[in-house]
Amino acid sequence: MVHAQFDPTAREALAAAAVDAKIRKDLTWQQIADVSGLSVAFTTAAVLGQHPLPKESAEAVAELLGLDADAALLLQTIPLRGSIPGGVPTDPTVYRFYEMLQVYGTTLKALVHEQFGDGIISAINFKLDVKKVADPEGGERAVITLDGKYLPTKPF
């Protein structure tokens, strides 16, 4: 049976315990994703409390992290989503994404509507990828791909 959370407290505590275990065991998010059988982005989001994991994935992740059966069960629950509390984010990395949306949000909206019409880009039917690539001018660049299904607004 599928169960849903109505309070983020339990998943937040589990996320903290999972990250602590990840650090103690010196694991990468990719290693955790490998045992889950799912993408690194989805698995990371799930462990951080933003998605439920399928039963087999939850059990494998819990075992790898040394978490108990209750944690494996909690990893399967549908969370109360949203990982950024109200207001402007203060973490510099998260703030930069906020800044990008402040600067380019209306541009993205204008381009999506011009190319697709009235609708939204799904964050449910969605894929995320993060890659590190060399910068031709020296250093490194982050290439972030947000790949969401377009859902048109339907008049009724």
Side-chain angles (χ1 to χ4, degrees):
M1 172 177 249
V2 177
H3 295 282
Q5 296 288 308
F6 70 94
D7 180 347
T9 308
R11 285 300 293 267
E12 288 170 355
L14 176 55
V19 169
D20 181 58
K22 174 188 175 291
I23 292 166
R24 281 186 287 104
K25 293 177 173 276
D26 195 28
L27 296 168
T28 65
W29 288 114
Q30 185 61 61
Q31 289 171 311
I32 297 169
D34 288 345
V35 302
S36 79
L38 302 167
S39 75
V40 67
F42 188 89
T43 302
T44 303
V47 172
L48 295 178
Q50 297 303 304
H51 292 303
L53 285 174
K55 184 178 193 291
E56 298 77 22
S57 298
E59 290 171 350
V61 167
E63 182 178 342
L64 177 66
L65 294 175
L67 303 173
D68 63 18
D70 287 340
L73 186 60
L74 190 55
L75 282 169
Q76 297 170 60
T77 62
I78 300 168
L80 187 65
R81 290 179 171 97
S83 61
I84 302 172
V88 176
T90 57
D91 177 85
T93 302
V94 176
Y95 174 78
R96 292 299 174 222
F97 286 102
Y98 174 81
E99 178 184 42
M100 287 175 219
L101 285 175
Q102 286 290 344
V103 174
Y104 293 103
T106 53
T107 299
L108 290 167
K109 177 180 170 49
L111 293 172
V112 164
H113 291 315
E114 181 176 280
Q115 293 178 33
F116 293 92
D118 187 16
I120 62 168
I121 306 301
S122 175
I124 301 300
N125 189 335
F126 183 82
K127 295 176 185 171
L128 166 68
D129 190 40
V130 179
K131 286 190 170 57
K132 179 169 58 170
V133 298
D135 186 333
E137 297 175 9
E140 298 167 332
R141 299 188 66 82
V143 177
I144 300 166
T145 303
L146 307 173
D147 180 351
K149 181 176 178 71
Y150 175 74
L151 302 171
T153 300
K154 293 182 180 179
F156 59 94

